[in-house]
Each structure stands twice: as C-alpha cells, then as structure tokens.
Amino acid sequence: MLRNIKIALCLVFALLISVQVLADVWVDEISAKKGEDLKSFLSLTQKYQEDNWLKVNSKISKVVEAESGKLGNGAIVQTSSTASGGKVVSGFNQPGSYIEWEFEAPARGMYEFWFKYSLPDAEAEPIVLDITVDGKHQFIEMTDIHFNVVPYASALETLERIEPASDKDNGVPFGFIMDKGKHKIRIDNLSGEFELDYLRISGAVKHFFFTQGENYAAGSSTLKKVSRIAASRGKAVSGFENPGDFIEWKVNVPEDGLYAIFFRYTLGDRSVECVRKVQLNGKTIYPDWDEVHFYPTDGWSEKRNDWKERRLEDPETRQPYFIYMPKGEVTIRMEAVSGPLEIDYVGLITRDGEIKGELNFWDYLRLLWHQIISFFISFN
Ligand SMILES: [Ca+2]
Ligand SMILES: [Ca+2]
C-alpha cells in the first residue's frame, strides 16, 4: 500500500513538473510572437550599418513563383495564361490566408521584396500583409505592409502591378536582411485581396533615364531650341514663360516600377516667381503639381554651368514622389503658370538610381572649348 502511495506521489510529481515545463515552453512561444521588441526600419539603419548589413548587389534578382510556396487557409493555385510560370495564387483574401516560401539567399545582405500581383478591380482596397523571415519580424512595419497605396497615372491604368514591400507613405522600399543560405519567407493576409504572381527578391533597383528637353513631342509655338554651356547635347528648350505655354515629353519606362520625375533646368531671372503645372499621362497625380515652384539658378548657362536638378517632391517632407509606372511610354507635360524656365532634360529615376551620364564626350569637349575661349577673351 505504502509502495502504491509512493508510486502515485511520484506520478503526480512527474505530472506537475511536465505541466510546468510545457507551460514554460508555451509561454515562451507566445511571448516570442507577442513580445518581439520591434523597432522601426528607419531607426535600425544605423545598427544595420554597424553590423555590416549592406544592400546586396543590384544585379541580384531572383523570382520566386507565388505558386511554388506552401499555401494555407483558402489560398489556392490557379492557372493564368498571362502569368509568369502560367500560374498565380488566388483565394488570398481572408485574414489567416498565408503563403510560405523557401528561399536560398545567394549572398549575405539586405534585399528588397517586390510583389507582382493583380487587383480584383480598379477600386480595390489596399491589401495589408504581415511578412516574416524565418518566423521573425525584423522591424515593426513588417507586421503591417500595405500594397496598392502608391499612386499611378490613369492613362496607364492596369490591374497588374509590381510593388516593393515599402513604407506606405512614400513608397521607399524596405530592406530585409538575410545571411547567405536557406530562409523561410512567409506572408499572412491581414486584409484586402490580390492574386499573386511572383515575389522578386533583389538588390536595390537602379534606373535612371531621360529625354532631351529640346526633343519634346508637342508644345506651344513660342518654344525654341537654344545652345547652352554644359547642357546635355549642348542644347535646351526655351521660350516657355507665358501662362498657358506648354511642353510635352515622351519617356520610355524600361521596367515596371516606382519612379520619381526630375528636371535639369536653369532659371536666371530672380525678379519673377517661376511656377509650373506638371501632369503625368494627362493626370495631376498630386494636388501640389498644379503649382510646382522652381528656384533661381542665378544664370542661364550662357557663361558658365548654371544647371540644377530637381525632383518632384512633397514640399513639406522633401521626400520625392514615387509613382507606379508599368513598362512602356509615359507623357510628362509641363505648363507655364508664371516666370521663364529653360529645360535641358527631363527624366525618371528610381529610389536607388543615380543621376549620371547626363553629359556625353562631345558635351564635355564643348565645355572645355568654351573655357579655353573664355580664358583667352579674359586674357586679352
Ligand atoms: Ca506565377
Ligand atoms: Ca539638352
């Protein structure tokens, strides 16, 4: 009897211990999910630099088909003749739907995640996702990633988009850090609906291209081409100052993505305020594009290089405006509200693009020639 009591006591004791151990594990798991000490992506920038998490080479670009992932809670694979790999994931439309991919990172570093998707209709609500890498959120925004909030030009309206997982207010892509090797990337639906074609995991996307200001597609009869120092191709467009005067340029977009518009300009007249109205594909994308202010450059590049660049940006935050543009041609229109302005070129640039190569060999030679001539003039 005594032995039986001892055995019973031992069993109860063992049971109590195992319950305690299990409870600890369970509590740990819960707190690991709920108690992540998350900071914003921006506030981690310094730490990432110190820990040597650099952006991976911009040539790295891997496509992970949505349909290759493990799907759950309603998400299903569907055939689609226009999609990459002939398939998409649909049914990703309820909280709890998820897709999980295995991804082999080719190098240690910071990656951008781009999502190629199509919306159910033009008025679709933003889709909101939770993203984890190896079961973890690296920064607080990963718990709340918004798509379909970046504006785009109506003439290009399409239900298909490719967008980075980005800051929803300005479209700046987030960087996700990964060591070289295998990783699990998972998205969970929080709200909204889209059909996902693929995920592109890449280095920073760099694009920069432009059209010569003087090679405009349409414009007022007052426009003229002028020769200017240090202008790309030696020329710029002028004669553009009476209210209503306009210029339209066509620019070719090489790849679907988010682009900011910029101009290389001179404004040598401080006495008048220079204001322009800007449209993309016939649409005023941001209200303040009705009154874009240009600041004096203190010369028209007649005697020296007075050219300045400016991107269209939010006048308060000074953050450039990024707009979704699919591959193909876009039309940029500028209309004079007041003041004169000369434009050397107009272009598009991605977040990590660099403005370079605006002058070719002949432009530099011309600039050098001019400097030699002016040296002799001043010498005499
Ligand atoms: Ca696909
Ligand atoms: Ca030019």
Side-chain angles (χ1 to χ4, degrees):
M1 181 68 185
L2 196 62
R3 191 164 166 268
N4 280 352
I5 288 173
K6 271 185 185 166
I7 289 170
L9 277 174
C10 280
L11 280 174
V12 167
F13 191 60
L15 194 68
L16 279 174
I17 286 182
S18 48
V19 163
Q20 188 61 42
V21 168
L22 280 173
D24 279 351
V25 169
W26 185 68
V27 166
D28 275 354
E29 268 189 10
I30 295 286
S31 55
K33 275 183 188 153
K34 284 201 168 166
E36 285 175 312
D37 182 21
L38 294 171
K39 298 187 167 71
S40 74
F41 180 66
L42 196 64
S43 69
L44 285 168
T45 317
Q46 183 69 28
K47 184 172 166 29
Y48 283 157
Q49 271 178 6
E50 282 164 11
D51 296 343
N52 210 23
W53 286 105
L54 305 174
K55 288 181 184 178
V56 295
N57 191 307
S58 61
K59 290 193 179 107
I60 289 181
S61 181
K62 302 270 175 197
V63 168
V64 179
E65 294 293 346
E67 60 272 20
S68 71
K70 195 175 104 188
L71 313 179
N73 288 338
I76 50 162
V77 175
Q78 234 176 21
T79 52
S80 163
S81 56
T82 54
S84 164
K87 286 174 185 152
V88 295
V89 170
S90 72
F92 191 79
N93 59 359
Q94 48 191 316
S97 303
Y98 71 89
I99 315 175
E100 188 175 279
W101 299 275
E102 295 255 357
F103 176 67
E104 179 96 36
R108 180 188 194 269
M110 193 181 277
Y111 292 80
E112 291 180 2
F113 291 175
W114 290 69
F115 290 77
K116 174 78 177 187
Y117 64 90
S118 57
L119 297 163
D121 59 74
E123 305 296 315
E125 290 292 305
I127 179 148
V128 188
L129 299 182
D130 174 284
I131 301 183
T132 53
V133 176
D134 300 322
K136 290 198 178 78
H137 299 108
Q138 298 173 350
F139 43 88
I140 191 115
E141 294 92 336
M142 283 174 78
T143 62
D144 188 38
I145 300 271
H146 288 241
F147 289 89
N148 188 29
V149 288
V150 180
Y152 59 109
S154 66
L156 299 172
E157 202 147 325
T158 165
L159 299 177
E160 290 199 352
R161 307 240 190 141
I162 184 163
E163 245 184 87
S166 67
D167 188 318
K168 66 177 182 290
D169 296 323
N170 56 24
V172 176
F174 291 128
F176 298 85
I177 57 172
M178 286 190 279
D179 267 311
K180 185 179 176 182
K182 277 206 172 67
H183 295 277
K184 270 208 172 77
I185 296 167
R186 176 174 163 131
I187 59 171
D188 281 84
N189 178 303
L190 298 179
S191 67
E193 178 176 6
F194 64 9
E195 282 189 348
L196 190 61
D197 186 358
Y198 60 81
L199 173 61
R200 191 180 76 200
I201 300 174
S202 67
V205 179
K206 293 184 179 179
H207 279 301
F208 158 72
F209 44 89
F210 59 88
T211 295
Q212 295 294 336
E214 62 275 18
N215 293 342
Y216 50 88
S220 307
S221 57
T222 51
L223 297 181
K224 49 185 192 255
K225 286 183 193 183
V226 289
S227 292
R228 292 288 180 255
I229 292 166
S232 176
R233 307 298 176 269
K235 299 246 179 324
V237 63
S238 184
F240 173 47
E241 59 180 292
N242 297 315
D245 283 352
F246 76 99
I247 314 181
E248 278 182 15
W249 297 276
K250 305 268 187 204
V251 185
N252 263 314
V253 179
E255 185 185 6
D256 296 358
L258 300 176
Y259 298 89
I261 299 174
F262 70 87
F263 301 95
R264 190 166 193 252
Y265 76 98
T266 50
L267 169 53
D269 190 346
R270 276 187 174 271
S271 63
V272 282
E273 203 180 22
C274 178
V275 182
R276 290 292 180 273
K277 180 177 168 174
V278 179
Q279 289 190 320
L280 180 65
N281 289 331
K283 195 177 171 190
T284 310
I285 307 240
Y286 291 91
D288 59 86
W289 283 16
D290 274 337
E291 281 193 11
V292 179
H293 291 253
F294 285 80
Y295 305 101
T297 60
D298 291 328
W300 295 104
S301 243
E302 288 168 308
K303 298 193 178 79
R304 51 167 195 212
N305 183 355
D306 294 316
W307 295 105
K308 276 203 177 113
E309 266 125 16
R310 74 155 294 173
R311 287 188 292 193
L312 294 184
E313 61 190 20
D314 185 317
E316 278 167 25
T317 64
R318 307 302 299 268
Q319 288 294 321
Y321 286 130
F322 287 100
I323 304 138
Y324 174 82
M325 298 184 204
K327 183 178 175 174
E329 196 176 67
V330 293
T331 302
I332 297 168
R333 182 188 166 99
M334 197 184 233
E335 195 179 302
V337 178
S338 70
L341 187 71
E342 290 188 0
I343 303 278
D344 180 14
Y345 57 73
V346 49
L348 301 175
I349 188 163
T350 55
R351 167 83 186 170
D352 284 275
E354 289 163 44
I355 298 178
K356 60 180 181 185
E358 65 270 31
L359 302 184
N360 67 12
F361 172 73
W362 298 108
D363 298 327
Y364 282 113
L365 206 62
R366 209 179 279 120
L367 188 58
L368 186 67
W369 178 244
H370 185 87
Q371 278 166 349
I372 293 168
I373 297 282
S374 31
F375 172 77
F376 277 110
I377 290 172
S378 62
F379 191 69
N380 291 329

